[in-house]
Amino acid sequence: MTDEEIIPASEIVPLLEPREGIPPVIEDPAALAAAVQAFAQGTGPVAVDAERASGYRYSGRAYLVQLRRAGAGSALIDPISCPDLSRLDAALDGAEIVLHAATQDLACLAELGLVPRRLFDTELAGRLLGYERVGLGTMVENVLGLRLEKGHSAADWSHRPLPEDWLRYAVLDVEVLIELRDMLYAELESSGKLPWAQEEFAAILAAPPAPPRVDPWRRTSGIHRVRSLRGLAVVRELWTLRDELAREADLAPGRVLPDSAIVTAALEQPRTTKALTEIPPFTGRSARRHLRDWLNAIGRARVLTEAELPQQSGPGDGPPPANRWADRDPAAARRLAAARTAITALADANHMPTENLLQPEAVRRLTWEPPDDLGDDAVAERLRRLGAREWQIALTAHPLSKALIRLAAKEDLGG
């Protein structure tokens, strides 16, 4: 969408109240059964959203599920009181489920037994169409000319009872999702991108659960400051202990102990409770309860043998970070640069982000270990094995092949 096509701010209409008001929260089997029947009798796509308590709770479970469908209106379901939505799932079998940023909600919906078979993701549609900002509020403004209140997106949705203004916000999130879907569908169709979007939606639904991260403690914010292997061992021990405590208490790990405290402890490696409490985050209410446990974890790291210490880089089956390629394999670095140039040009021509045209990891793996044959078919087959969708392969295989062949020929000539 160009700047000229965006609806002027003066014409944006605030969306303040749901059309039919705020429905009562469904908290018992009888109310849920009535909602199931209403949605089964409704028609067309079903708008769905879920509210979690990210930043407050350890689990990623849903604490509120919102739905809307023509002929059924809107519904709010408390999944704490109604944790089994399999009957609703059966009633919606065959219906298209409309979500915004579907990958954020599919897992918590699946825990409740709500598993879409057909999907329309309004965020992903916006990306494919070239919208620069694809948050729900911005999309609703730019496409529909309506302003959603987004003040409660980061609220603690595990709180009970849920305040009325939170419920109003939750209903409004699905209030116009079907209209947004319809407008984006028409744009996808007129731009020729509808088959691309449908293939992307199907790929999202078919994707297996993400495997557990290897060495998740390495994602501790600020870990780059820890240079010694002994310090990394402290990070590992403290991170592991924090994760256990957070899981037991169902608290977000950062509420048990922030990453900054783990990194500071790894740098200073305190030996006494007094020294530990001189690191301010360890004096917080949650952290103070486990001072002896934190100190013991640091002590365990201190007595590890050299062979037991973690290495600077974790195990992995992929290429190294791209910023190391120039030193590790200069030829691969040149291939990556050539491939990125081709992908960027192609993404610009198709008005979409490069990462949606082709996954960056696929580009890295292709250029780190390219096929012996750099022709279109060989590049296409390698991209297919790397998880690229057919529409992506159709667009990118030839330009990538051409860029890699041109680079190889130039280097053969000593250029």
Side-chain angles (χ1 to χ4, degrees):
M1 173 173 277
T2 65
D3 291 341
E4 292 77 15
E5 294 172 307
I6 292 177
I7 299 171
S10 60
E11 298 180 15
I12 303 296
V13 178
L15 193 59
L16 302 177
E17 290 291 337
R19 295 168 194 169
E20 300 97 18
I22 303 173
V25 178
I26 296 169
E27 300 177 316
D28 60 75
L32 180 59
V36 168
Q37 182 176 3
F39 274 82
Q41 294 173 348
T43 59
V46 184
V48 180
D49 191 20
E51 305 296 345
R52 298 177 305 281
S54 303
Y56 295 91
R57 298 294 179 181
Y58 184 90
S59 73
R61 69 175 303 174
Y63 287 94
L64 187 70
V65 176
Q66 309 100 279
L67 305 100
R68 185 174 180 84
R69 191 181 198 185
S74 297
L76 297 175
I77 301 175
D78 179 0
I80 306 304
S81 303
C82 301
D84 182 1
L85 300 185
S86 57
R87 290 188 178 180
L88 177 62
D89 180 76
L92 300 179
D93 186 30
E96 180 186 84
I97 304 300
V98 183
L99 289 160
H100 190 82
T103 54
Q104 296 181 17
D105 289 338
L106 286 174
C108 68
L109 293 173
E111 289 179 357
L112 301 170
L114 191 57
V115 183
R117 264 74 79 190
R118 294 172 57 208
L119 173 69
F120 191 100
D121 185 334
T122 49
E123 183 200 51
L124 182 50
R127 291 182 181 277
L128 295 176
L129 288 166
Y131 285 85
E132 291 186 8
R133 297 166 61 198
V134 292
L136 179 59
T138 304
M139 292 286 290
V140 168
E141 284 193 20
N142 290 340
V143 177
L144 301 178
L146 299 171
R147 176 168 293 125
L148 286 173
E149 170 57 50
K150 299 302 292 180
H152 302 300
S153 58
D156 178 6
W157 288 89
S158 67
H159 177 81
R160 291 296 185 273
L162 291 169
E164 182 177 304
D165 57 332
W166 293 20
L167 296 175
R168 180 181 297 105
Y169 154 86
V171 177
L172 290 175
D173 259 11
V174 292
E175 180 88 3
V176 292
L177 200 54
I178 301 299
E179 289 96 320
L180 178 62
R181 174 260 181 217
D182 291 344
M183 292 288 287
L184 295 176
Y185 185 99
E187 288 187 46
L188 288 167
E189 194 169 37
S190 63
S191 66
K193 294 180 177 180
L194 182 58
W196 305 355
Q198 291 171 332
E199 194 172 346
E200 288 297 294
F201 301 157
I204 290 174
L205 294 180
R213 291 188 181 276
V214 177
D215 290 352
W217 58 270
R218 292 184 182 273
R219 296 175 62 83
T220 304
S221 179
I223 195 173
H224 64 277
R225 297 169 51 206
V226 182
R227 304 292 186 182
S228 71
L229 300 185
R230 188 73 57 184
L232 289 178
V234 173
V235 173
R236 182 176 63 186
E237 292 293 334
L238 289 176
W239 187 97
T240 301
L241 173 59
R242 181 186 68 173
D243 193 65
E244 293 170 357
L245 296 173
R247 184 186 294 107
E248 290 172 4
D250 192 18
L251 287 174
R255 289 185 171 267
V256 176
L257 188 71
D259 282 6
S260 60
I262 292 178
V263 170
T264 302
L267 294 172
E268 299 182 6
Q269 298 183 29
R271 292 175 176 269
T272 65
T273 301
K274 181 177 183 302
L276 185 62
T277 55
E278 288 175 357
I279 302 173
F282 282 95
T283 62
R285 180 187 303 175
S286 180
R288 281 193 71 88
R289 293 197 198 108
H290 305 285
L291 284 177
R292 179 54 55 184
D293 296 324
W294 304 125
L295 204 60
N296 288 341
I298 297 170
R300 287 195 296 273
R302 189 179 293 113
V303 299
L304 293 176
T305 66
E306 293 294 324
E308 294 172 320
L309 295 176
Q311 298 305 302
Q312 284 289 353
S313 298
D317 62 352
N323 59 9
R324 300 180 189 170
W325 286 28
D327 294 329
R328 292 274 299 274
D329 189 337
R334 291 190 291 272
R335 289 193 297 269
L336 180 62
R340 283 177 167 174
T341 298
I343 292 297
T344 299
L346 196 57
D348 289 345
N350 284 277
H351 308 291
M352 72 175 67
T354 56
E355 64 269 21
N356 291 110
L357 176 64
L358 187 62
Q359 302 90 318
E361 182 66 9
V363 178
R364 286 193 292 269
R365 288 178 178 264
L366 171 69
T367 52
W368 181 253
E369 291 184 325
D372 294 333
D373 177 2
L374 295 177
D376 289 7
D377 291 345
V379 169
E381 183 54 33
R382 176 64 62 84
L383 291 176
R384 190 171 289 110
R385 293 205 304 270
L386 291 172
R389 265 69 80 186
E390 292 302 319
W391 73 269
Q392 295 174 320
I393 294 169
L395 285 176
T396 63
H398 176 68
L400 284 171
S401 170
K402 185 177 178 181
L404 295 175
I405 289 173
R406 183 186 299 119
L407 177 64
K410 181 180 178 181
E411 295 191 341
D412 285 345
L413 294 173

